[in-house]
Amino acid sequence: VQLQASGGGLVQTGGSLTLSCAGFGRTFSSNAMAWFRQAPGKERDFVGGIRWSGGNVYYAESVKGRFTISRDNAKNTVYLQMNGLKPEDSAVYYCAAAVSRRPIMTTIRLLSTYDNWGQGTLVTVSS
């Protein structure tokens, strides 16, 4: 399983970006996919995730109402639509896939749930 993230860039406060995560291999045999982000000097934090079974979507409180996760099974791609961007959203964004674990509401937010990671794409929001 390989994940390729793209779509990052520089945007002004209040702007929008859409990140894509394309899977190669058995990605859509995974149980869930998620987006995490990591700002310089900080830990990698959960942004949002989607479970394939049932399509349940979960978000971090900091992005709820602004970010939307969606998927396109035909394209083996998961998207992160980001609206109302703020400078504090600036980070490297990583997509991840859970293949060997079946996350539930509490575990979908954990780094340890995911066994496949993309290379990251940089998002910079200017003030």
Side-chain angles (χ1 to χ4, degrees), residues 11-14 37-40 42-43 45-47 61-63 66-67 82-93 123-127:
V11 65
Q12 292 184 335
T13 297
R37 65 186 182 187
Q38 187 168 19
K42 296 189 176 181
E43 296 182 347
D45 293 329
F46 174 78
V47 175
E61 285 298 322
S62 59
V63 306
R66 299 188 297 124
F67 291 10
M82 304 185 294
N83 299 323
L85 283 162
K86 307 174 182 180
E88 52 263 43
D89 294 317
S90 297
V92 177
Y93 283 69
V123 173
T124 303
V125 185
S126 62
S127 57

Side-chain angles (χ1 to χ4, degrees), residues 49-121:
I50 182 168
R51 293 199 301 171
W52 296 134
S53 177
N56 304 81
V57 183
Y58 306 89
Y59 298 99
E61 285 298 322
S62 59
V63 306
K64 199 173 290 185
R66 299 188 297 124
F67 291 10
T68 302
I69 290 178
S70 60
R71 63 185 181 183
D72 185 330
N73 285 7
K75 296 183 178 180
N76 282 358
T77 300
V78 172
Y79 302 97
L80 180 66
Q81 172 69 43
M82 304 185 294
N83 299 323
L85 283 162
K86 307 174 182 180
E88 52 263 43
D89 294 317
S90 297
V92 177
Y93 283 69
Y94 297 90
C95 62
V99 175
S100 60
R101 296 176 178 85
R102 294 181 180 273
I104 58 176
M105 184 176 66
T106 51
T107 59
I108 200 168
R109 303 167 186 272
L110 303 179
L111 287 167
S112 58
T113 294
Y114 301 90
D115 37 23
N116 290 275
W117 291 85
Q119 85 287 4
T121 184

